[in-house]
């Protein structure tokens, strides 16, 4: 079986594929290296053979995770690396290695699925967008705080803003003006996120009219999905790109 990892700054998203790589047999999200090992050990029928991963963590943190996995499961591990060009996509950054690897892999996956001009909007800890022309030229993108960052900044820097995650979830039942602090914060941040998405759509239309494909991914994609019904929601977009960047044959 193949273990795939998307290692973000806050969480590790993982999934296990069948040996042929064509079926997802397990998956989840954890907040630490040890939690990952524990989750994998809890799957009694699991027989890991190989691992590929993408990480936006520091080299030291990534190396530590690789060591933990190697000791726990004794499997070969391949890490995605930056590239100037891959799978028909040309990296648009002047210093191509500075484009976040998660963004790069999502772009590869989206262009592979679309086969034409496309926009990738990833709504996670940060909100990012990337634009790819029909000929595979990556035109760059935008980065701003996502819901977790906006929420946490307000909680951190405003003493009277204190509420739990359950209250935050309840606040999303509508986008009417909030009648409590939690409603005002959550709905205000959601409106900022929706504004970000709408400006990306406007920019795409200025480039290509309606001849492009819009992809949504990330944990908060559901907050904007009804705003852009034409979008394809692909939760595993990074993993699609990871398989392209790190084929295991």
């Amino acid at each position: 079986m193949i273990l795939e990892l998307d290692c973000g700054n806050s969480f590790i998203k993982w999934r296990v594929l069948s040996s042929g790589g064509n079926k997802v047999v397990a998956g989840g999200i954890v907040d630490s290296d040890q939690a990952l090992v524990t989750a994998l050990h809890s799957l009694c029928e699991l027989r890991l053979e190989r691992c590929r991963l993408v990480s936006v963590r520091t080299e030291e943190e990534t190396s530590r995770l690789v060591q933990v996995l190697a000791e726990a499961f004794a499997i070969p591990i391949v890490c995605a690396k930056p590239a100037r060009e891959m799978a028909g996509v040309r990296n648009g950054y002047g210093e191509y290695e500075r484009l976040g690897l998660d963004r790069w892999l999502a772009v590869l996956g989206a262009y592979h699925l679309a086969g034409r001009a496309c926009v990738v909007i990833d709504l996670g800890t940060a909100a990012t967008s990337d634009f790819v022309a029909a000929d595979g030229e990556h035109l760059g993108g935008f980065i701003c705080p996502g819901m977790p960052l906006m929420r946490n900044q307000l909680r951190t820097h405003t003493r009277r803003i204190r509420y739990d995650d359950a209250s935050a979830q309840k606040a999303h039942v509508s986008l009417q003006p909030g009648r409590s602090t939690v409603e005002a914060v959550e709905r205000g941040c959601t409106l900022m996120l929706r504004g970000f998405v709408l400006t990306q759509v406007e920019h795409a239309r200025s480039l290509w009219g309606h001849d492009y494909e819009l992809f949504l991914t990330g944990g908060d994609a559901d907050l904007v999905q009804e705003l852009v019904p034409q979008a394809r929601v692909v939760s595993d977009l990074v993993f699609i790109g990871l398989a392209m960047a790190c084929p295991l044959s």
Side-chain angles (χ1 to χ4, degrees):
M1 293 182 178
I2 300 170
L3 173 63
E4 294 186 324
L5 304 175
D6 176 5
C7 307
N9 291 306
S10 303
F11 299 99
I12 301 173
K13 184 177 180 181
W14 64 274
R15 71 179 190 178
V16 176
L17 305 180
S18 59
S19 296
N22 54 4
K23 181 182 178 182
V24 178
V25 298
I29 298 176
V30 294
D31 59 3
S32 69
D33 298 356
Q34 190 54 53
L36 173 64
V37 172
T38 300
L40 293 171
H41 276 315
S42 70
L43 302 173
C44 301
E45 301 301 317
L46 195 64
R47 296 293 181 271
L48 295 179
E49 301 162 354
R50 295 164 290 176
C51 172
R52 57 188 168 210
L53 68 82
V54 56
S55 175
V56 298
R57 300 179 170 194
T58 65
E59 289 187 16
E60 181 182 355
E61 290 171 324
T62 303
S63 296
R64 186 162 56 244
L65 172 60
V66 168
Q67 182 178 353
V68 167
L69 291 172
E71 291 175 353
F73 302 104
I75 54 175
I77 301 165
V78 179
C79 300
K81 302 294 184 184
R84 189 178 299 279
E85 184 172 351
M86 183 177 290
V89 181
R90 295 179 297 283
N91 194 314
Y93 267 31
E95 298 178 74
Y96 72 90
E97 66 276 5
R98 295 185 67 85
L99 175 64
L101 276 171
D102 52 347
R103 287 174 61 196
W104 174 238
L105 296 185
V107 162
L108 294 182
Y111 188 72
H112 171 73
L113 293 176
R116 59 174 178 153
C118 59
V119 181
V120 180
I121 299 178
D122 188 342
L123 302 177
T125 303
T128 67
S129 66
D130 284 281
F131 296 77
V132 187
D135 64 356
E137 184 71 26
H138 172 234
L139 305 179
F142 300 93
I143 304 173
C144 71
M147 283 292 290
L149 282 178
M150 288 190 284
R151 178 187 295 127
N152 290 339
Q153 283 297 300
L154 285 168
R155 284 176 172 174
T156 300
H157 296 287
T158 308
R159 292 183 180 179
R160 295 178 67 86
I161 294 180
R162 295 290 184 272
Y163 55 85
D164 57 27
D165 292 338
S167 299
Q169 190 64 34
K170 291 178 182 177
H172 290 288
V173 296
S174 84
L175 286 175
Q176 292 299 311
R179 290 178 174 268
S180 65
T181 298
V182 61
E183 289 180 354
V185 169
E186 289 297 315
R187 295 174 189 179
C189 290
T190 299
L191 289 175
M192 292 187 73
L193 202 66
R194 288 162 70 98
F196 175 77
V197 170
L198 288 176
T199 58
Q200 307 315 298
V201 172
E202 289 175 4
H203 186 67
R205 287 177 179 169
S206 73
L207 292 171
W208 307 305
H210 293 281
D211 190 16
Y212 73 96
E213 192 138 12
L214 175 63
F215 290 88
L216 290 179
T217 191
D220 286 319
D222 61 313
L223 295 179
V224 303
Q225 186 176 355
E226 56 89 18
L227 190 67
V228 281
Q230 75 275 25
R232 291 175 65 176
V233 180
V234 185
S235 61
D236 58 355
L237 203 51
V238 170
F239 284 137
I240 294 173
L242 178 61
M244 299 167 65
C246 302
L248 300 176
S249 57

